[in-house]
Amino acid sequence: MAKGTGTNPQAALRRRNLSAVVHAVAAGDNMSRAAVAAEVGLTRATVSTLVDELIAAGLVTELGAQRPGTVGRPGTALALSPRGPAGIGAEVGVDHLAACVVDLRGTVRARATVEARNRGRAAAQTLGELDGLVRQVTEEAVALGLRPAGLTVAVPGLVGRDQHTVLRAPNLGWKNERTDLTVENEANLGALAELWLAGREKTPAQAPLTDFIHVSAEIGIGAALVINGNLFRGARGFAGELGHVPVYPDGPRCSCGARGCLEQYAGEEAVLRAAGIAPELPGRLKALRTAAADDDAPALAALEAAGRALGIALSGAVNLLDPQAVVLGGPLSELAPWLLPGVRRELGRRVTGGGALVVESRLGRDGVLLGAAYSAVRAVLDDPSEWTAR
Amino acid sequence: MAKGTGTNPQAALRRRNLSAVVHAVAAGDNMSRAAVAAEVGLTRATVSTLVDELIAAGLVTELGAQRPGTVGRPGTALALSPRGPAGIGAEVGVDHLAACVVDLRGTVRARATVEARNRGRAAAQTLGELDGLVRQVTEEAVALGLRPAGLTVAVPGLVGRDQHTVLRAPNLGWKNERTDLTVENEANLGALAELWLAGREKTPAQAPLTDFIHVSAEIGIGAALVINGNLFRGARGFAGELGHVPVYPDGPRCSCGARGCLEQYAGEEAVLRAAGIAPELPGRLKALRTAAADDDAPALAALEAAGRALGIALSGAVNLLDPQAVVLGGPLSELAPWLLPGVRRELGRRVTGGGALVVESRLGRDGVLLGAAYSAVRAVLDDPSEWTAR
């Protein structure tokens, strides 16, 4: 969606200013034009012009007079429009498909999920069924006055730098699948959702995280690194492969060919097997949670072992990266009560300088889908000029 | 040495332009003023003025007419001065002290090394002896017409963000030692030297590395991460602690309190013990190299085990970071012929996407000291205005 950087310095400056203003409105709490001007360091007149453009384009809306009781003429409060451009996200899970639409504020406005056995199924068939869900939520969003700005599809696998090739997704049985859709690794989207959306209800004391390791899991173990407020992709786009960090180097053979990878101890399949739950069972994760909540000994032992393995692999990662925090997100966050003690114990023992902050994602297992949907919104906020020029 | 960013935009612009010009002269091969202007995107007139300032300040020198045979009036070739500001580096090893001076070109102009038993010795005493070496090389440099621009001391330990506190250096027995000197972790300096100096003799095909893991070792295992062309320090400045990445989680107890850290398998002491060489022996690393070169079975087995352990820990690091390369530097580079096979084998087996480029540093064990010395030079190149204003 983003325009090229262009060569006209005036146009580039205008684009930057528009983006600064819309980001200020997004971050602020019903700010007036004057407050936005103070925030972005532009004159009140310039900001007023830009805000008028953003209102005309339907990106920003006026909420009426701001907080009575403030000194002087009350400014008109500004907010992102609930009927502006919208981001569409879709998710290919091992046994589900999902799609949703978020507005500029990051609020979910339409959503659909279906169970689907995607393991070993042809990619074209899976993506065809997903297309039906995407059409459904898009129609709902359009009926609400939203304008689709872009679609991102989350996949549990390695994605090429072109964002159109799934290099390998072993849990789906995909290899070098090329698509016209924009695809992204699910762990990356979970981490981006954490970066973009989890800090929203921030208190002054709790600044948003800018440097963290985000760990999620469905069948494998996915992780993503956020460094200096940006997703870190690595030289080939393969960064964050926590699932194949060696934990016990002579341990069982992994699907990747190596021995003793984290996935063999904390991946969903390994944990379910250890807990005595059939990995094919529909609702198996819920069954695992229920068993653990009922103090079922094999389930507790399986989760304890998984937490310990996760803690060992994360100790290495934290010793290397010294992040502000480790965030457990995705389906893993629902098992956090049983995983966290082992994770924290190993980190406490093994990390130079003593432990690390480990937190559960506030987004839970929705993070990936939200991150996929919000990607297009983020592109609009980063360059709103495409929408104001229409 | 760096001035504050200041509030005068004209002065800030002039500082940036001066730095761009001096960096272009540094990177170029006897460039003319016109070539510098083309490189940095400023007018010929502006560049001429800036170059004249840099010449007057003694940072840049004219080499005479450039390459006869080029079309038009030959430009005067520019180079960094061999008698400009100079960087002083010093190194505290477990059993040596070293100091050196490099000129703006990164060439070593004075150097001194002494053996010293620094383990368990009072920090003040060690730094006092180091001061003597620093004075000696500084006097030599001044006699050559160089002007000292700053001193950095490399230490084998964790350094606080203030760059004046050694939080802990277990191999020296230091804990929370505060000094007026600027101190830096030796692994960080080795990595910076690699970033700044190793790519100098670059061929067009071999672009300088901007994303790599630099591994070095004296007694412990030190590593540092370079990400996007910058040293990555982490949230508390503790990033790069490869030595405490778990390799065999239930292995022997490490000095850090944890079990099975890499240091217990590939640290110098562990390797020497396994090779049957007394860890206190002067010249012990040379003895190890000689034994390995003579096909001494315990030495070969010790290095093979170390290479394997290093490869396991680095597999985790590469899976997380997906760097362009892993660089073996420092004293470790001298053992590379025996370590590399094991490292490469483990990486080949365990890294998603298949292996990683592993190279020996071209700087060898000098990297740390060169990085310490070049730090001050780098500061001059990044902000030459302090020198032109004198």
Side-chain angles (χ1 to χ4, degrees):
Chain A
M1 299 296 299
K3 272 184 190 174
T5 47
T7 48
N8 180 341
Q10 275 307 107
L13 184 65
R14 192 179 145 274
R15 275 209 301 277
R16 270 208 307 280
N17 287 344
L18 268 175
S19 177
V21 167
V22 81
H23 271 293
V25 172
D29 182 16
N30 302 340
M31 288 169 115
S32 66
R33 285 169 174 78
V36 171
E39 176 72 24
V40 300
L42 295 170
T43 66
R44 171 86 198 260
T46 304
V47 166
S48 277
T49 309
L50 295 169
V51 165
D52 289 345
E53 279 186 61
L54 291 164
I55 291 173
L59 272 65
V60 164
T61 184
E62 292 182 303
L63 297 177
Q66 194 194 23
R67 298 191 195 98
T70 49
V71 177
R73 194 171 69 84
T76 306
L78 301 172
L80 293 179
S81 169
R83 267 180 308 281
I88 308 170
E91 187 178 11
V92 178
V94 171
D95 41 23
H96 79 282
L97 296 170
C100 84
V101 180
V102 299
D103 61 23
L104 287 179
R105 300 173 182 186
T107 305
V108 175
R109 304 294 295 280
R111 174 170 192 146
T113 310
V114 293
E115 288 189 15
R117 297 297 173 100
N118 296 323
R119 197 197 283 264
R121 194 183 181 198
Q125 214 180 336
T126 298
L127 293 176
E129 189 176 349
L130 189 69
D131 185 53
L133 283 197
V134 168
R135 279 170 200 272
Q136 179 190 326
V137 295
T138 305
E139 279 167 24
E140 286 178 45
V142 169
L144 293 168
L146 291 160
R147 286 168 287 159
L151 164 66
T152 299
V153 179
V155 291
L158 282 181
V159 171
R161 301 224 111 183
D162 65 356
Q163 295 222 284
H164 291 291
T165 312
V166 181
L167 300 175
R168 52 191 214 87
N171 297 316
L172 296 175
W174 292 13
K175 208 167 175 183
N176 294 321
E177 296 290 347
R178 156 122 204 131
T179 165
D180 290 336
L181 301 169
T182 299
V183 287
E184 177 59 285
N185 171 269
E186 56 167 16
N188 286 351
L189 290 169
L192 286 171
E194 194 68 27
L195 179 70
W196 292 334
L197 297 166
R200 296 220 141 190
E201 313 101 72
K202 64 177 182 275
T203 61
Q206 192 187 4
L209 295 174
T210 55
D211 291 86
F212 58 93
I213 303 174
H214 186 268
V215 190
S216 55
E218 193 188 25
I219 300 289
I221 295 273
L225 313 177
V226 172
I227 292 179
N228 292 332
N230 289 299
L231 180 68
F232 182 73
R233 293 175 186 274
R236 297 168 302 172
F238 294 178
E241 281 283 320
L242 185 72
H244 300 288
V245 166
V247 173
Y248 296 97
D250 304 318
R253 181 79 66 187
C254 181
S255 64
C256 76
R259 287 192 174 279
C261 299
L262 174 61
E263 204 164 297
Q264 293 307 303
Y265 303 92
E268 187 182 306
E269 229 171 85
V271 177
L272 288 169
R273 205 178 306 120
I277 296 169
E280 302 79 29
L281 191 75
R284 57 196 177 270
L285 266 192
K286 204 172 161 215
L288 177 63
R289 265 201 323 278
T290 307
D294 288 348
D295 286 338
D296 174 69
L300 292 178
L303 287 166
E304 156 65 23
R308 173 171 146 83
L310 200 53
I312 292 169
L314 283 171
S315 294
V318 170
N319 275 326
L320 285 166
L321 289 165
D322 185 23
Q324 294 169 318
V326 172
V327 182
L328 293 196
L332 216 56
S333 62
E334 300 180 3
L335 298 170
W338 298 280
L339 295 171
L340 280 179
V343 169
R344 291 201 170 116
R345 193 182 57 238
E346 295 300 325
L347 288 171
R349 281 179 186 161
R350 298 180 186 276
V351 169
T352 300
L357 180 65
V358 187
V359 296
E360 289 170 58
S361 169
R362 278 183 284 186
L363 303 173
R365 69 179 305 149
D366 283 349
V368 172
L369 188 60
L370 285 174
Y374 197 76
S375 294
V377 168
R378 189 77 187 185
V380 173
L381 300 182
D382 288 347
D383 184 8
S385 65
E386 177 140 350
W387 296 82
T388 56
R390 285 180 185 189
Chain B
M1 298 297 299
K3 271 184 189 173
T5 46
T7 48
N8 180 339
Q10 276 307 108
L13 184 65
R14 191 179 147 275
R15 274 208 301 278
R16 269 208 308 279
N17 288 344
L18 266 176
S19 177
V21 167
V22 81
H23 270 292
V25 171
D29 182 16
N30 302 340
M31 288 168 113
S32 66
R33 286 169 174 79
V36 171
E39 175 71 25
V40 300
L42 295 170
T43 65
R44 171 86 199 256
T46 304
V47 166
S48 276
T49 308
L50 295 170
V51 165
D52 289 345
E53 280 186 61
L54 291 165
I55 291 174
L59 271 66
V60 165
T61 184
E62 291 182 304
L63 296 179
Q66 193 193 22
R67 298 191 196 98
T70 49
V71 178
R73 193 173 70 84
T76 306
L78 301 172
L80 293 179
S81 169
R83 267 179 308 282
I88 307 170
E91 186 178 12
V92 178
V94 171
D95 41 23
H96 80 281
L97 295 169
C100 84
V101 180
V102 300
D103 61 23
L104 287 180
R105 300 172 182 186
T107 306
V108 175
R109 303 295 296 279
R111 176 171 189 144
T113 311
V114 294
E115 288 189 15
R117 297 297 173 100
N118 297 322
R119 198 197 283 264
R121 194 181 181 200
Q125 214 179 336
T126 298
L127 293 175
E129 190 177 349
L130 189 69
D131 186 53
L133 283 196
V134 168
R135 280 171 200 271
Q136 179 189 326
V137 296
T138 305
E139 279 166 24
E140 286 177 46
V142 168
L144 292 168
L146 290 159
R147 287 168 286 160
L151 164 67
T152 300
V153 179
V155 292
L158 282 180
V159 171
R161 299 226 110 181
D162 66 356
Q163 294 222 284
H164 291 292
T165 312
V166 180
L167 300 175
R168 53 190 212 88
N171 297 317
L172 296 175
W174 292 13
K175 207 167 176 183
N176 294 321
E177 296 291 347
R178 156 116 208 137
T179 165
D180 291 336
L181 300 169
T182 299
V183 286
E184 177 58 285
N185 172 268
E186 56 167 14
N188 286 351
L189 291 169
L192 286 170
E194 194 68 28
L195 179 69
W196 292 333
L197 298 166
R200 294 222 142 189
E201 313 101 73
K202 63 176 181 275
T203 61
Q206 192 188 5
L209 295 174
T210 56
D211 291 86
F212 57 93
I213 303 174
H214 186 268
V215 189
S216 56
E218 194 189 23
I219 301 288
I221 294 274
L225 313 178
V226 172
I227 292 179
N228 292 331
N230 290 298
L231 181 68
F232 181 73
R233 294 176 184 274
R236 298 167 302 171
F238 292 178
E241 281 283 320
L242 185 71
H244 300 288
V245 166
V247 173
Y248 295 97
D250 304 318
R253 181 79 64 187
C254 182
S255 65
C256 77
R259 287 192 175 278
C261 299
L262 174 62
E263 204 165 296
Q264 293 307 304
Y265 303 92
E268 188 183 305
E269 228 171 88
V271 177
L272 289 169
R273 205 178 307 119
I277 296 168
E280 302 79 28
L281 191 74
R284 56 195 179 270
L285 265 193
K286 204 172 160 216
L288 178 63
R289 264 202 323 278
T290 307
D294 289 348
D295 285 340
D296 174 70
L300 291 178
L303 287 166
E304 156 66 24
R308 174 170 145 84
L310 200 52
I312 292 168
L314 284 170
S315 294
V318 171
N319 275 326
L320 285 166
L321 290 165
D322 186 23
Q324 293 168 320
V326 172
V327 182
L328 293 197
L332 216 54
S333 61
E334 301 181 2
L335 298 170
W338 298 281
L339 295 171
L340 280 179
V343 170
R344 291 202 169 114
R345 193 182 58 237
E346 295 301 324
L347 288 170
R349 282 178 185 162
R350 298 179 187 276
V351 168
T352 300
L357 181 65
V358 186
V359 296
E360 287 169 59
S361 169
R362 279 183 282 186
L363 303 173
R365 70 179 306 148
D366 283 350
V368 171
L369 187 60
L370 285 174
Y374 197 75
S375 295
V377 168
R378 190 75 188 186
V380 173
L381 300 182
D382 287 348
D383 183 8
S385 65
E386 176 139 350
W387 296 82
T388 56
R390 284 179 184 189

